[in-house]
């Protein structure tokens, strides 16, 4: 007797009951799948994007907002800071490297970042085509930007003020593409990078031709005789002592604000952890309800099949085979639910990624399979066995003579 085939036949004969139980379990497991994928990739993405950045200097305000806008480019900047004051702080002997940044413009939702060549070197960027900028209004595109907008070397476009797509355009100063980066799997993929001077001049009412033809500095702070401003400065410490002294000194003795990406992101994880726990609790509740549904379905099915099971016992089936028959039905149901949950979870993440291609989830891989997903199958099997153990035991203890006499 093929027990597996017989169990499958019973389930197929009740398509509505089977389908609803599988769907309910799959929905609960899909939520957990999405959380596992996002949790794993979100943490890795945060660590990659903040690699080599020990501290961020910017305008007074929320330190978390400063880090999110400067390192991850997902929030509004806290404001601008004087170039001269930023230069003065960056000369501190405890600072190994300081990368100036001018933010606030975009092209159709992709942010334009004014910086120097050190910003590209920070992420060890490699070029798929072209090279770095030498003059104002020359830009380097991240791989995602180039792919999404179809840009090639030599193409031009008009930037817009603000960090959202629908904003005022700086149509008098077009940007020219001189370089396209190879995929870096970090925040650079989503950015348009140029010189700080490009961002400054884009906001000037009128600039002379000599400024458009000038060579811009590839390293260090840009030179300016005017009272120019930066948005933020990315800092790398020279030694561990800097982590103790620098932030306190900057926050207390200057008009600037210093924030640690590591500390702020750890705090963000703690804040998000409460919401993630609630969502996981909801998913577990759905799974428990699905398990109860499977138990009720098998229990009711057992009452309808008592005579069939008694006939099977009469023609030679062992008690253990009947026990295994019912147990297999529960396991098959939950295994189908687990597979469906994994597929749905990956599909949901794929939908989220293509919907919010410029957000924090940009660069997430919906096809990626993480090790923790194996536990989803294990949990599903535990639910299946737990839901079917009582009906299976009742089948094992069934009274053959009593059923056949009826």
């Amino acid at each position: 007797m093929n027990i597996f085939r017989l169990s499958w036949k019973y389930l197929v004969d009740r398509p509505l009951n089977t389908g609803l139980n599988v769907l309910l379990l799959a929905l609960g497991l899909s939520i957990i799948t999405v959380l596992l994928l996002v949790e794993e990739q979100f943490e890795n993405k945060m660590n990659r994007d903040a690699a080599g950045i020990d501290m961020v200097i910017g305008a007074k305000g929320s330190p978390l907002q400063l880090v999110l806008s400067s390192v991850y480019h997902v929030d509004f900047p806290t404001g601008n800071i004087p170039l001269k004051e930023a230069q003065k702080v960056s000369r501190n002997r405890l600072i190994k490297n300081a990368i100036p940044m001018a933010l606030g413009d975009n092209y159709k939702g992709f942010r334009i970042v004014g910086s120097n060549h050190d910003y590209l070197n920070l992420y060890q960027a490699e070029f798929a085509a072209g090279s770095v900028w030498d003059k104002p209004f020359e830009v380097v595109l991240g791989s995602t930007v180039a792919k999404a907008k179809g840009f090639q070397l030599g193409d031009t476009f008009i930037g817009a003020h603000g960090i959202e797509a629908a904003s005022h355009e700086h149509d008098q100063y077009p940007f020219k593409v001189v370089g396209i980066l190879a995929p870096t799997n970090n925040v650079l993929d989503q950015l348009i990078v140029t010189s700080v001077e490009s961002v400054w001049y884009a906001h000037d009412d009128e600039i002379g031709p000599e400024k458009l033809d000038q060579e811009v500095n590839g390293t260090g702070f840009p030179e300016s005789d005017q009272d120019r401003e930066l948005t933020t400065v990315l800092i790398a410490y020279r030694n561990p002592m800097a982590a103790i002294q620098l932030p306190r000194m900057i926050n207390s003795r200057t008009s600037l604000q210093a924030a640690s990406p590591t500390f702020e992101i750890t705090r963000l994880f703690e804040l998000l952890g409460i919401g993630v726990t609630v969502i996981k609790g909801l998913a577990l509740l759905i799974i428990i309800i699905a398990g109860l549904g499977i138990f009720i379905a098998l229990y009711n099915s057992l009452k309808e099949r008592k005579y069939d099971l008694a006939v099977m016992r009469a023609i030679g089936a062992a008690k253990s085979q009947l026990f295994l028959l019912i147990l297999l039905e529960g396991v098959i149901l939950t295994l189908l639910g687990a597979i469906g949950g994994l597929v749905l979870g990956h599909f949901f993440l794929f939908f989220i990624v293509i919907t919010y291609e410029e957000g924090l989830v940009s660069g997430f891989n919906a096809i990626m399979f993480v090790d923790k997903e194996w536990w989803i199958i294990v949990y599903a099997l535990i639910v299946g066995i737990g839901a079917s153990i009582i009906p299976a035991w009742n089948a094992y203890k069934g009274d053959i003579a009593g059923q056949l006499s009826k």
Side-chain angles (χ1 to χ4, degrees):
M1 186 189 306
N2 192 326
I3 300 297
F4 179 84
R5 190 173 179 181
L6 195 57
S7 297
W8 177 253
K9 184 66 176 175
Y10 272 120
L11 293 175
V12 171
D13 284 343
R14 295 168 176 78
L16 182 60
N17 226 355
T18 300
L20 287 175
N21 285 319
V22 169
L23 179 60
L24 187 59
L25 184 60
L27 287 175
L29 293 174
S30 67
I31 295 173
I32 294 180
T33 300
V34 171
L35 289 176
L36 289 176
L37 290 170
V38 170
E39 188 176 36
E40 178 85 10
Q41 298 188 62
F42 183 72
E43 187 172 352
N44 290 338
K45 177 180 173 62
M46 286 296 197
N47 292 334
R48 286 196 306 269
D49 291 350
I53 303 173
D54 297 315
M55 183 177 68
V56 180
I57 297 175
K60 296 286 188 182
S62 165
L64 178 59
Q65 181 182 351
L66 176 61
V67 170
L68 290 176
S69 63
S70 304
V71 179
Y72 305 104
H73 301 277
V74 293
D75 202 351
F76 291 89
T78 55
N80 289 330
I81 58 177
L83 171 64
K84 293 179 181 178
E85 190 170 6
Q87 283 179 312
K88 182 179 178 181
V89 171
S90 68
R91 296 191 188 103
N92 191 292
R93 58 184 177 81
L94 295 175
I95 292 177
K96 179 181 178 182
N97 191 26
I99 302 176
M101 298 180 72
L103 310 174
D105 287 352
N106 81 94
Y107 173 72
K108 295 185 177 179
F110 290 104
R111 301 197 181 195
I112 298 173
V113 175
S115 188
N116 58 29
H117 300 169
D118 289 340
Y119 186 61
L120 301 180
N121 297 333
L122 177 67
Y123 296 105
Q124 300 177 344
E126 297 181 356
F127 283 85
S131 60
V132 294
W133 62 85
D134 293 319
K135 297 179 180 180
F137 297 103
E138 294 181 342
V139 301
V140 170
L141 305 182
S143 60
T144 301
V145 183
K147 183 178 179 181
K149 302 305 177 185
F151 281 129
Q152 302 291 331
L153 294 180
D155 288 347
T156 60
F157 63 90
I158 300 297
H161 184 67
I163 61 174
E164 296 179 344
S167 15
H168 171 69
E169 292 186 344
H170 302 300
D171 50 6
Q172 70 273 37
Y173 302 120
F175 290 98
K176 180 181 179 180
V177 179
V178 297
I180 297 175
L181 297 177
T184 57
N185 198 27
N186 56 42
V187 70
L188 271 185
D189 291 337
Q190 308 291 323
L191 300 179
I192 300 169
V193 190
T194 183
S195 63
V196 173
E197 290 88 346
S198 301
V199 177
W200 284 346
Y201 299 160
H203 295 85
D204 288 352
D205 294 331
E206 185 176 347
I207 59 174
E210 70 282 354
K211 287 188 175 180
L212 292 176
D213 292 331
Q214 74 179 13
E215 296 287 330
V216 295
N217 289 341
T219 60
F221 282 71
E223 298 177 0
S224 176
D225 296 329
Q226 305 177 46
D227 293 328
R228 296 288 189 178
E229 292 181 324
L230 298 173
T231 308
T232 185
V233 182
L234 307 181
I235 300 295
Y237 294 147
R238 188 175 298 279
N239 54 52
M241 184 61 67
I244 301 173
Q245 296 183 3
L246 269 179
R248 183 173 56 184
M249 183 271 289
I250 293 171
N251 288 327
S252 61
R253 299 182 186 178
T254 71
S255 63
L256 309 180
Q257 174 184 210
S260 165
T262 303
F263 176 80
E264 295 303 326
I265 295 307
T266 300
R267 193 163 66 90
L268 177 62
F269 284 151
E270 291 175 354
L271 294 173
L272 293 176
I274 299 174
V276 171
T277 301
V278 171
I279 297 174
K280 283 183 178 179
L282 177 62
L284 289 174
L285 180 61
I286 295 174
I287 293 171
I288 291 171
I289 293 173
L292 289 174
I294 293 172
F295 166 75
I296 293 170
L298 292 177
Y299 193 81
N300 290 335
S301 173
L302 179 63
K303 289 195 291 185
E304 296 172 4
R305 293 156 48 194
K306 281 185 177 179
Y307 181 77
D308 295 341
L309 296 175
V311 171
M312 290 174 60
R313 284 282 286 119
I315 62 176
K319 287 184 176 182
S320 58
Q321 288 179 309
L322 298 185
F323 181 88
L324 186 60
L325 176 70
I326 305 300
L327 196 66
L328 267 177
E329 290 183 29
V331 170
I332 292 171
L333 278 173
T334 50
L335 193 57
L336 290 174
I339 295 171
L342 291 174
V343 173
L344 277 176
H346 284 266
F347 175 78
F348 288 157
L349 182 60
F350 174 75
F351 179 76
I352 293 170
V353 170
I354 63 174
T355 304
Y356 302 99
E357 61 178 4
E358 292 109 18
L360 265 179
V361 296
S362 60
F364 279 15
N365 185 359
I367 304 175
M368 174 184 176
F369 189 92
V370 300
D371 292 339
K372 291 180 181 179
E373 288 183 80
W374 290 111
W375 286 105
I376 291 178
I377 299 176
V378 174
Y379 293 151
L381 292 177
I382 291 173
V383 170
I385 293 172
S388 57
I389 195 74
I390 294 176
W393 179 253
N394 287 343
Y396 179 85
K397 298 291 288 182
D399 181 9
I400 302 174
Q403 291 299 323
L404 292 178
S405 64
K406 294 178 182 178

